[in-house]
Amino acid sequence: MATRYTVGIDLGTSNTVVAFAAEGEDRIQVLEIEQLVGRGELAARTLLPSVRYHPAAGELDPATLRLVASAGEGQGAPPAVLGEAVVGQYARELGAQVPGRAVASAKSWLSHAGVDRNAAILPWGAAEDVPRVSPVVASASYLAHVRAAWNRQHPGAALENQDIVLTVPASFDEGARALTLEAARLAGLPRLRLLEEPQAAFHDWLFRHREQLAAELAQSRLLLVCDIGGGTTDLTLIQVEPAADGLSPPRLTRIGVGDHLMLGGDNMDLALAHLVEKRLLAGGERLSAAQLAQLVQRCRAAKEQLLAADAPEELKVTLLGAGSRLIGAARSTALRRDEVLRLVVDGFLPLVGADEAPARRRAAIVEFGLPYPADPAISRHLAAFLRRHGQVSRAALGMPGPGAGRDADGDADEAAAPLAIPDTLLLNGGVFRADAISARLEGLLAHWRGAPPRVLHNDAPDLAVARGAVAFALVRAARSGPGIGGGSARSYFLVLEAGGEAARAICVLPRGTESGTEVALPERRFALRLGQPVRFHLVSSTGDRAWQAGELVELDADDFIHLPPLAARLPATAAGRRENVAVRLVACLTEVGTLEMQCVAIDDDTQRWQLAFQVRAEADMPATEAAAAAGAHPRLAQAIALIDEVFGGQARELDAKAVRQLRARLERVLGRRDDWDMALLRALFDALLERARRRRRSAEHERVWLNLAGYCLRPGLGAALDDWRVDQLWALFGQGLQYVREGNNWSEWWTLWRRCAGGLDEARQLQVLEVLAEHLEDTDAARRRGDPVQGSYDDMVRLAAALERVPAMHRIEVGKWLLERLARPAEKAHTWWALGRVGARESLYGSAHNVVPPETAAEWLQAVLALDWKVVEPAAFAAAQLARLTGDRARDLAPELRDEVARRLAALRAPQSWITMVREVVSLDDADRRRSFGEALPPGLRLL
């Protein structure tokens, strides 16, 4: 009979580590993972660098290619995930030598909701001939490599059949956790559970000290686990309660976790790379995104050597050239140990006061497409974390509360309370191999506390998480030994309203709920329709307030994190009827370690529908809603009655003027349409959709229906069920217009699709673009023929510019066509707006990987700069869009071009927001967002 194993996998940003223990044993071992370590050299290492390299054709010799293939061979290893990429140590070395072909920090991308994480976007900023993979597939490739290595070493005990614990940052939201599970599934590991990395690190320490645990923690009451990895800083607070007899193990309860903080070793390497870049290049030159990625890898290696115990005083960092000039174009500079210490230690862990808050900017800093925090000082983020969990921390330390000062909700005024500083510290993560970094963090806590904390020794910061995952599973299986309680690290809330200044939510799963415990909301009922999808919006909070299930709260954007929406499609009855069913919601923290929610029929508890997180990047609403729960507008029935007069089942004899006045009549009932909130707009669209067939009664009916439907569905995403609404609307695209001789109807037709373009996926946008291209390429001849569709030329141009999900190559073609048209004296000035939208550095709703390359945008900008902006008013905003600063050098234009645009805008006395967006990384204000979209968005909607 084959031996069974308990396996822990630390899928890290920088390295992947695997630990295991045989069934019936408590000896935890670390797997030696076979990987390429050099050209033609295969060896086993405890660390598998989480890097994959995509070699060019002919770059690797046949012997090495055979080793690449053999490294991925195992029992059922999925070749589609591994491909021909090199994974591990040699991949990291190749990435440091050749720019633009290495995928690194895939784990950081899993938590970046601003891009499509299932799209092939990595390596970020790579040349067009470099194969790309998605962050999910990149993560899956490391797990697949591990699976293949394990299966070769353990024939008859395939990894997929073992008890696996996979670790994730405590700060990962439900979307990032769902994507991690998807990566594991792609790698052939469908059954596992998730464990938070700081808990795993502490479980490793507990396991190694299990025999004398009471004595080891006798003086500890509040433990801080600070886990600084390659991509994140993960903070966790654990309360230690000694046993009454003083001999038994203490009770351990996790009482606080930090929000997602994308700060770690990668940021330190990047800061060093910026320092070296300035020395290597003269005259303000900048490296390309691919070259900077190469330099970051070299600075990482230099940092690790210069911060080691036996470090040299300085090291030479060399940036190789490319192609045939690999050696001849190489440039070098020296990095000294003291300056690395100063930049890393003082830059990321400065000695600040415990009352200092992280610096805030109008937008995050972006490098390589990743949104890093505006303030890199981990010290200030740590202070904010401790303040946020002050109430439970003071209780754990036995400190008195604030004693006075209550806010409007009766909560203690945290600002007046003494800050509770942990008395015990556990450090984890590769950066803490450097004694200087460990000493600084220990000194920081001592400075705040007035006495040094007790530091728990971590003998292997790189290995502790994987070993601790095994220790956790062993304790769990034995149902005895030192474990960590605390249940859910977050409270989860269902958002109820979209309208008004303050959105409300109801608590569906309080913080501390243990796994496997169902939390039902019997007093909250929802009427859902079978055969249609349903979607709910959730938020979470890591705050230490003790929310109760069913408690109503007002949302504060600073305290609540918006999660990907939950959705399900409720099947129709056997007869295909779409009946209504009353349901309640049930929430549970699963044994796997993820949030699970179900719709449960009120009259039959066995009828359940699973809700799944949707992780496609889309809109975020600070005041989002669950349509099933939001209150209807008090005059909605009157408005629908007006719609029925025009589009109802009983045909009425209405003259064209009466049909055209529908919008004005709706505004008299509902108020100005600019003030219609999201819930009202979608309710009106749903009413129009039900009556879509009757838009064909006359040309006026069709024109009014198209206008209202597009306005009420704009921008095609952001509300519950918008994906379903767009699916239903898309059927009309194939049907086309009824009144094709009416130029105004064509205008409304194209405007409808522009307004809902945000809800169209890539395939549908490509279909729209194909139809547009047929009309636009035939513009001149069609105008001579008097084709009515050409009366909507402006609307077609605006629609083509709004299709942000089509691949960049097609957007480039659109831009070239626009420039050709703009070379004609008769072309209207608004076409410059379209060029700016197509070449914009920041998408309004699309994924950043579809942005036009900066080289192309720079060419287009030269044409804009040649204009007199006082005469061609749209040109100035187009220039601002083309030159907007994102912080991501894979998208940004050269500084000198941006400076020229900023000077021209200032001379023109353009709005300050235009100048600012060229000089700083900022979000668009409402006026500029409206100008970019061509009209206002629904109140409260904010696109990421």
Side-chain angles (χ1 to χ4, degrees), residues 324 342 523-524 529 607 666 760:
S324 59
R342 187 168 55 251
E523 70 282 6
R524 291 280 169 177
R529 191 174 177 85
Q607 272 196 297
L666 286 172
L760 300 177

Side-chain angles (χ1 to χ4, degrees), residues 338-408:
D338 62 332
E339 63 185 354
V340 172
L341 280 169
R342 187 168 55 251
L343 188 149
V344 171
V345 176
D346 294 336
F348 289 87
L349 286 166
L351 283 173
V352 299
D355 58 344
E356 289 195 31
R360 292 182 177 272
R361 299 181 185 175
R362 279 175 279 184
I365 294 175
V366 177
E367 284 284 358
F368 302 120
L370 290 169
Y372 293 131
D375 190 340
I378 295 172
S379 308
R380 282 189 278 268
H381 291 285
L382 174 58
F385 166 74
L386 294 177
R387 285 195 300 274
R388 182 175 176 78
H389 296 280
Q391 187 173 336
V392 291
S393 295
R394 283 191 297 273
L397 291 170
M399 296 172 60
R406 298 273 164 177
D407 63 19

